[in-house]
């Protein structure tokens, strides 16, 4: 009986690739499976699939119309899965997240490890079952690991993740450093976005000291590429402030490769920002080394300074 | 930091042995662990420990007074574990049951397979990590597999369980057929037990359809000998239900020689039991030919009927 294999909703590269890899492995072991996805691939994943000439997976939202049993990768929590998870039997799970909101009626195969990426665990399973990883699949899997670990910069990275990428790179014949940077860049794909999109995409509003403060964060692998558009970004922010009555706008441009943020500050009071981050704004800008989190590293000191 | 390793409450041979085996393996891999138990060993397990000259493990009920982190074997459901499971971090689980009423805040190592016995999975882990199984531990592990599979008579038995017993028997230098029968018989020594002991010995609690369902299994070589004590068994079960708030209690009395079970059902809803097993309860009893496995042949249909 055929089973579907899929990763979580709003799929990232690991969710798409781990489904393909586990489906391939299980088919080699005698199962009949198809890898599908619970959403369209994002820009990064599209780049990966195109690079290795791999088709975009079919998108589903429910499983029961097609199959009685499924295999989950890169997730287990029901709200991240197909809408009808309770109507099908989960026979296999391979994951690297906590376990929550997940239960079965019968015993199953469940393999989770606290590693940086599902695809790292999958490489171990290929070896355990002595199934060779085809070159193309190796390329996809190393992409997933680089994506989840931000090229080993994320604190979730383990030595096993790094070793897996190096091993897969040999099979795929890929310079993983150069390719990884290219891939992460494709994921930030800011070139295709307008300045209005860049300053609003993930923006949140805060009330601080009677002021309306707006903070947005944009991820990039190239600060200079973003700040080449500084004049237009300022105009877009000024328009936002004018139209929505924001007193102060902080645009965090975060370099995901070295975990630094450059701040562009438009509006008043600028002095409070300088106090908050113990820095001097030069031409409305300041570099904040080691700052990547709005919630943990920007909002609290700013609130305190107000 | 030391961690405790333990199987489920009302421990059977696998619960005791798997804790010892996984603790041994993890210590070889550099962890600092101690195998403990959540209850006194039953007659079968005592026979096993005595046969291989292995000490009875220390019994605990709560973990937090001693450690911050634990490893679970042969179970995952919170109600089958230490009373303070929510206060400690679960870092590892090795199990062969369904997953239910289990959740963590952080990623963990979780290895489950739908095999007959946790100790079969553990033998695979020893091999994966290239750690040799000492002769005495091999004897304990094959005992656990014979116990869980009723010497390969249970439908939960897989070819991997049989192969594991044969492999472990060579290491332990044991005639597993002769030893296995002896061991199973030692476990059926029911005459020496009170009715209270008979209804609690290997009992497990399940949440089904909002009801608290308690299921116990007693192995015997003579059904009539057990049901000669039916009136007192009913009283003991009623007392259990009253004192612990169980809605429904199923006592499985299993003849290990011909692989049949007679069910004694006390509490409500009885109709769900009839639906689950497509049978009529007569005087709260029903014969279930060919049923020997709580996990595979009783819990899933009962869950489905609820």
């Amino acid at each position: 009986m055929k089973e579907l294999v899929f990763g979580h909703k709003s799929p990232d590269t690991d969710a798409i690739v781990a489904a393909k890899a586990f489906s391939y492995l299980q088919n080699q072991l005698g199962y009949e499976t198809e890898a599908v996805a619970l959403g369209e691939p994002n820009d990064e994943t599209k780049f990966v699939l195109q690079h290795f000439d791999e088709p975009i997976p079919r998108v589903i939202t429910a499983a029961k119309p097609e199959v009685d049993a499924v295999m989950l990768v890169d997730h287990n929590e029901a709200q991240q899965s197909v809408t009808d998870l309770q109507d099908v039997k989960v026979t296999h799970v391979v994951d690297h997240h906590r376990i929550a909101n997940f239960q079965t009626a019968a015993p199953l195969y469940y393999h989770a490890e606290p590693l940086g990426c599902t695809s790292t665990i999958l490489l171990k399973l290929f070896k355990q079952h002595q199934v060779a990883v085809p070159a193309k699949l190796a390329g996809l899997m190393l992409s997933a690991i680089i994506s989840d670990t931000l090229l080993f910069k994320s604190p979730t990275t383990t030595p096993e993740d790094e070793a897996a990428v190096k091993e897969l790179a040999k099979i795929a014949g890929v310079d993983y450093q150069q390719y990884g940077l290219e891939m992460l860049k494709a994921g930030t794909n800011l070139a295709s976005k307008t300045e209005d999109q860049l300053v609003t995409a993930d923006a949140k509003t805060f009330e601080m000291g009677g002021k309306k403060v707006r903070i947005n964060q944009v991820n990039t692998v190239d600060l200079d590429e973003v700040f080449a558009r500084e004049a237009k970004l300022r105009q877009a922010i000024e328009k936002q402030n004018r139209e929505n009555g924001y007193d102060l706008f902080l645009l965090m441009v975060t370099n995901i490769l070295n975990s630094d943020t450059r701040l562009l500050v438009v509006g008043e009071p600028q002095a409070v920002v300088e106090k908050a981050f113990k820095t001097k704004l030069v031409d409305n800008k300041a570099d904040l080394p080691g700052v990547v989190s709005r919630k943990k590293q920007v909002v609290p000191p700013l609130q305190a300074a107000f």
Side-chain angles (χ1 to χ4, degrees), chain A:
Chain A
M1 290 289 272
K2 182 180 158 181
E3 297 188 40
L4 294 177
V5 186
F6 46 83
H8 53 80
K9 283 178 183 164
S10 305
D12 57 7
T13 299
D14 191 33
I16 301 276
V17 164
K20 286 178 178 282
F22 194 50
S23 174
Y24 176 86
L25 174 63
Q26 294 296 79
N27 290 349
Q28 294 296 310
L29 297 177
Y31 290 88
E32 184 196 347
T33 72
E34 179 193 355
V36 293
L38 303 192
E40 297 294 335
N42 62 29
D43 284 346
E44 179 193 275
T45 311
K46 276 185 198 151
F47 171 91
V48 170
L49 296 174
Q50 208 154 39
H51 186 95
F52 292 103
D53 192 26
E54 174 75 15
I56 288 176
R58 187 163 67 84
V59 173
I60 65 161
T61 54
K64 185 67 183 170
E66 301 183 50
V67 293
D68 293 326
V70 301
M71 305 183 182
L72 312 185
V73 292
D74 199 29
H75 76 296
N76 66 84
E77 302 192 37
Q79 74 279 5
Q80 299 169 5
S81 199
V82 282
T83 52
D84 59 353
L85 189 67
Q86 72 287 350
D87 300 329
V88 290
K89 183 177 180 185
V90 178
T91 64
H92 294 70
V93 179
V94 182
D95 192 18
H96 68 129
H97 296 93
R98 69 167 191 165
I99 298 178
N101 195 14
F102 177 79
Q103 63 169 16
T104 64
L108 74 163
Y109 177 97
Y110 198 112
H111 189 116
E113 294 191 47
L115 301 180
C117 182
T118 310
S119 292
T120 306
I121 301 169
L122 287 169
L123 177 60
K124 296 171 78 168
L125 297 185
F126 272 81
K127 289 178 178 179
Q128 274 168 31
H129 291 289
Q130 299 180 295
V131 172
V133 181
K136 182 194 279 197
L137 189 55
L140 299 174
M141 289 167 75
L142 72 84
S143 301
I145 303 171
I146 290 169
S147 168
D148 268 12
T149 64
L150 293 177
L151 239 178
F152 317 142
K153 293 275 170 38
S154 163
T156 56
T157 312
T158 71
E160 291 195 59
D161 298 302
E162 264 195 83
V165 165
K166 285 169 186 165
E167 188 174 339
L168 291 163
K170 275 184 198 150
I171 301 171
V174 165
D175 177 340
Y176 69 86
Q177 287 280 7
Q178 190 197 315
Y179 164 77
L181 268 177
E182 227 179 297
M183 184 202 86
L184 289 174
K185 234 181 203 172
T188 57
N189 194 13
L190 302 180
S192 70
K193 301 210 172 77
T194 68
E195 286 75 17
D196 278 342
Q197 289 172 327
L198 288 181
V199 302
T200 56
D202 187 31
K204 289 181 181 165
T205 305
F206 302 85
E207 291 281 337
M208 294 184 187
K211 300 285 182 185
K212 221 170 159 184
V213 179
R214 182 82 162 168
I215 308 178
N216 192 29
Q217 183 168 24
V218 166
N219 288 336
T220 182
V221 290
D222 187 351
L223 285 182
D224 292 339
E225 191 191 337
V226 179
F227 280 90
R229 303 163 71 177
E230 184 180 336
K232 285 190 170 173
L233 285 170
R234 280 172 186 263
Q235 283 170 18
I237 292 173
E238 279 159 6
K239 186 175 150 225
Q240 284 287 315
N241 286 0
R242 202 168 51 240
E243 289 178 356
N244 302 288
Y246 305 135
D247 297 295
L248 181 69
F249 197 115
L250 277 68
L251 179 66
M252 298 171 61
V253 184
T254 301
N255 185 335
I256 58 175
L257 295 185
N258 63 10
S259 305
D260 290 341
T261 286
R262 184 172 296 164
L263 215 52
L264 176 61
V265 183
V266 179
E268 292 296 339
Q270 301 248 333
V272 173
V273 179
E274 296 188 330
K275 187 177 152 202
F277 303 105
K278 298 181 182 64
T279 186
K280 264 286 176 228
L281 288 170
V282 177
D283 195 20
N284 302 87
K285 296 189 296 290
D287 283 320
L288 305 179
V291 168
V292 294
S293 168
R294 167 170 49 192
K295 186 172 63 179
K296 283 200 158 161
Q297 298 171 296
V298 172
V299 171
L302 196 60
Q303 181 87 60
F306 267 103

